[in-house]
Structure formats: C-alpha cells, structure tokens
Amino acid sequence: MKVLLPDTVALDPDLPAGTVAITYDVRRPVPDEHTDAEVLVVWGNPPEALSEAATRLKSLRWVQTLAAGPDAVLAAGFGPDVLITAGLGLHDQTVAEHTLALVLAAARRLNLLVRAQIGHRWAGELGGLQPVDDPGAFRTLRGATVVIWGFGGIAATLAPLLAALGADVTGVARSAGTRHGFPVVTEEAFAELLPRTDVLISILPATPATTRVLDAGVLAQLQPHAWVVNVGRGSTLDEVALLNAIRSGRLAGTALDVFATEPLGAESPLWDEPNIIISPHAAGGRPVGASELITANVAAFRAGQPLRNLVS
C-alpha cells in the first residue's frame, strides 16, 4: 500500500510492513508514478492541487487531512467511496494558546499600546493607576464571563487556562451538560448568556449551518464593552455586521484569526480599526502529534478497523 505524505510538515509515522511512504510536493501535481496511491495525507495543499488529486488518483481509498476542519478536502471533489478523516486533536494546544493570547491582548489593550509605540507616544491613559473593577469595560479575565461557541477539543484545552486566570467559562454546543468540568448549554439558551458576556469566543467549524451564524442579531445582544474572538472559520462570521457594530460603538472590539477570504485583502476596512486585532490564520499551523495519528489510522486501515476522526 502506498501512502503519500505532504512536504509541508516533518512526518515520521511508524508504518506497518508492506506500506510505502512517499513524500510529495503539495504545490505541484502528484507525479504520474505515484497516482496509484491508496492513501493521501493533506496539509497546506492549495485547493486546485486537491481538486487535481481528486481527479487523477484513481486508486485512492482514503484522505487524511491534518487540519481540524475537513472543509477544504470535502470541497475538492473526492469520490463518495473515498474515506476522509480529520486532524481533530492535533491543534488543541496551539489554537488554545493563540486564543488565550488574543483574549489577553484585548483585555490589556495591546492593540492600542502597539499603535502608541509606533507613534512614539506614551499612552498614559492605559497605564498608571487603574480601577480594580471596571464594569463598563473588559480589562481583565478576573471575574469575566467568557462564552465559547463550539465546545470541542480546543475549547476543552482553552477553558481551564481562562478559568485559571479567574474567568467564568460557559460552553455552547449542540447538546447541554457538563464537559471537562465546565457547563455547556445549547444554542437555545444562547440568548440568556449573551447580555452578560464579556468575551464571546467562536471556535465553530465551517458547515452550511454555520455560515455567517455570528451575525448582527447575535452581536446586538452583547454588551457594548464585549469583545468577539474568532479562531474557528471565517465563513461563520458576518464581517460587515461586525465592522458596523464596532464603528457604531455597539461592540468594544474583536480579535480575528480567520476571515471569509484569506489572505485578507489590503483594501479591507478591518485593517484600519484600532479595536480590531488581526492575526493571519496563525492559531494552528502546527499539527502536534500528526505522525502518531497517521500511524494509528494506517494500522487501523490495514486491519479493516474504524479510523479516528472519520468524517461522516
């Protein structure tokens, strides 16, 4: 059995006897001599290259993406008989760490401090003596109400970090209950949470049901001092509604790592708003434990056993 490994990340899976691993250039067509591969591992492949692979790899039986979300692979046009597995769990630590950084940057106004530094201005209004409690602003995680929309593995890693700094964390998911020690409610109870939320973090995947679900209606229910942080998928957020909310003062600010169109164009008005923090889809980018996942799934595939993170 032939497994194609991308050249965009160092991989060293422990593959069973009879399995041949070939490293391929994700930016170029798969060489003709390797179009007989049965397994394709994907990481950073351009959309056109994925579509070409879907057409040319006639013996393909399974695609393993190292991305947490399989949307790019699903859009490539692989046949219905090709199994697709996602990289769930590979980005929990890195995305949680980046999200925490964005939340702290918002609380400590690092966006405004950087602007002041560029202008060689001592931003005295952001330093010196500060109120211990400021109910009209988000300035600390201590006592802050943080809602995480999309409570999966990333949220399970992030929530304890937020709680350790004093935040009151609630998750929103398709089913209610307690997960990893934190309360989780369904979207039906969302409206009750939003008016007392200081930070709304979205880690939603890209699906038809989540397209621009974070819209003007949701934003209007937040307090004026609230911040929105999106580290899920850009398609889940109505960027126009968000920009209008910030410009009108209906929302204090936002920190965005993902966008409807990437890279974000230089002409986008999002760049110019002082209370919008932008990072270039940098939260993930490091699939921790990818080799171990490939090892486990190849062994299961060879044995005819269920694969981890199978996309239905």
Side-chain angles (χ1 to χ4, degrees):
M1 185 177 76
K2 183 180 291 185
V3 178
L4 298 182
L5 301 177
D7 65 349
T8 44
V9 61
L11 295 170
D12 186 26
D14 184 10
L15 301 179
T19 303
V20 178
I22 303 294
T23 299
Y24 71 100
D25 185 342
V26 302
R27 294 160 293 275
R28 300 177 61 85
V30 174
D32 290 340
E33 63 268 27
H34 298 313
T35 55
D36 60 342
E38 295 180 65
V39 181
L40 176 68
V41 180
V42 169
W43 180 239
N45 302 55
E48 61 275 11
L50 276 179
S51 297
E52 184 176 54
T55 301
R56 294 180 60 236
L57 273 58
K58 302 297 185 182
S59 300
L60 197 65
R61 299 170 57 198
W62 162 38
V63 177
Q64 170 71 66
T65 176
L66 302 182
D71 39 298
V73 173
L74 293 174
F78 290 98
D81 57 332
V82 176
L83 300 175
I84 296 174
T85 51
L88 297 175
L90 302 183
H91 306 276
D92 292 357
Q93 293 180 344
T94 55
V95 176
E97 182 178 55
H98 192 85
T99 307
L100 178 62
L102 293 177
V103 172
L104 289 174
R108 293 298 179 169
R109 299 298 190 265
L110 294 189
N111 52 311
L112 301 181
L113 292 174
V114 168
R115 285 175 175 257
Q117 179 179 349
I118 292 172
H120 295 195
R121 183 180 73 84
W122 182 265
E125 73 280 8
L126 298 176
L129 303 181
Q130 303 289 319
V132 175
D133 295 302
D134 188 354
F138 169 58
R139 295 297 179 92
T140 177
L141 280 172
R142 177 178 43 82
T145 298
V146 180
V147 174
I148 304 177
W149 197 0
F151 206 90
I154 295 171
T157 303
L158 173 63
L161 303 178
L162 297 168
L165 293 174
D168 179 13
V169 182
T170 301
V172 179
R174 284 179 291 185
S175 58
T178 300
R179 300 186 191 178
H180 308 282
F182 294 91
V184 177
V185 302
T186 63
E187 292 181 11
E188 284 70 24
F190 207 14
E192 299 175 12
L193 277 177
L194 290 174
R196 51 188 176 87
T197 296
D198 297 301
V199 183
L200 173 60
I201 300 172
S202 174
I203 318 181
L204 293 171
T207 68
T210 62
T211 300
R212 288 188 293 280
V213 71
L214 187 45
D215 58 12
V218 171
L219 299 176
Q221 297 177 68
L222 291 166
Q223 303 176 84
H225 72 259
W227 275 68
V228 170
V229 178
N230 189 16
V231 293
R233 285 292 185 265
S235 63
T236 65
L237 173 65
D238 186 334
E239 292 176 359
V240 173
L242 179 70
L243 184 62
N244 290 339
I246 292 174
R247 283 179 168 174
S248 67
R250 272 290 306 124
L251 194 66
T254 184
L256 305 175
D257 185 58
V258 290
F259 302 87
T261 301
E262 297 181 358
L264 183 65
E267 73 287 351
S268 173
L270 295 174
W271 292 109
D272 299 320
E273 292 299 317
N275 285 318
I276 295 182
I277 300 173
I278 291 174
S279 62
H281 206 141
R286 311 164 193 83
V288 179
S291 291
E292 291 78 7
L293 176 61
I294 295 169
T295 296
N297 264 352
V298 168
F301 186 74
R302 290 288 299 264
Q305 297 174 349
L307 303 181
R308 283 171 53 184
N309 303 340
L310 183 64
V311 178
S312 59

